[in-house]
Amino acid sequence: MRIDDQVETLVRAVLDAAVHRDSGRFEGAMDALVGSQETLTKAVELTLAVNAAVLFEVHDGRPSPEQVNELSRNISQQEQWAGVSAADVHALLVAVTTGNPPVVASSVDGATAVFVVAANLLATASQPDEGEWWFNYLDKVEAAIEAAG
């Protein structure tokens, strides 16, 4: 996947706001994605690829249904500020782990779970005590996504 630099910048702004659980900044960053349907679509596609890459790396492959269930509950509890339900997180994670495109509305509200889940996965999987912050981990994930084609 070739990553569009402009879209990637917008995605990073959304992810940064989500990592910091800053709902005002998150809404503003999401609004910037709505400038065009093409931009929102590319941003969601990139972020879905990030979700898959981090999820598979953390679990050394496809997570089990039990792991997906537990992760769904944990993320929805940790990200209550965003109003993302465990059912939404679960549907997204199942879609990502099975390779089936998730049903994501072509609106900011419909795409919220995609970004919130990615922010949570990046923040919890990075190793800040070893100098690897979520944004450094994202750099590695994006490099792998681009290398995979």
Side-chain angles (χ1 to χ4, degrees), residues 39-113:
T39 300
L40 180 59
T41 299
K42 286 180 179 181
V44 167
E45 288 171 355
L46 171 58
T47 309
L48 286 170
V50 168
N51 278 319
V54 174
L55 191 62
F56 288 1
E57 182 176 325
V58 166
H59 290 91
D60 294 321
R62 184 177 303 200
S64 70
E66 294 78 20
Q67 289 172 315
V68 169
N69 290 339
E70 182 178 350
L71 194 55
S72 300
R73 283 190 302 275
N74 290 343
I75 291 174
S76 67
Q77 289 173 354
Q78 294 165 358
E79 307 303 340
Q80 287 181 357
W81 67 272
V84 177
S85 71
D88 289 343
V89 174
H90 186 266
L92 174 65
L93 294 176
V94 167
V96 168
T97 59
T98 61
N100 296 322
V103 178
V104 177
S106 58
S107 68
V108 173
D109 290 340
T112 296

Side-chain angles (χ1 to χ4, degrees), residues 1-4 7-8 10-11 14-15 30 33 36-54 92 95-96 99-107 110-115 118 138 141-142 145-146 149:
M1 165 187 266
R2 184 186 172 290
I3 299 175
D4 179 302
V7 170
E8 195 266 348
L10 295 170
V11 166
V14 173
L15 294 176
M30 288 294 288
L33 290 176
S36 81
Q37 185 59 45
E38 181 182 357
T39 300
L40 180 59
T41 299
K42 286 180 179 181
V44 167
E45 288 171 355
L46 171 58
T47 309
L48 286 170
V50 168
N51 278 319
V54 174
L92 174 65
V96 168
N100 296 322
V103 178
V104 177
S106 58
S107 68
T112 296
V114 175
F115 296 101
L138 179 58
V141 169
E142 288 178 341
I145 290 169
E146 283 197 313

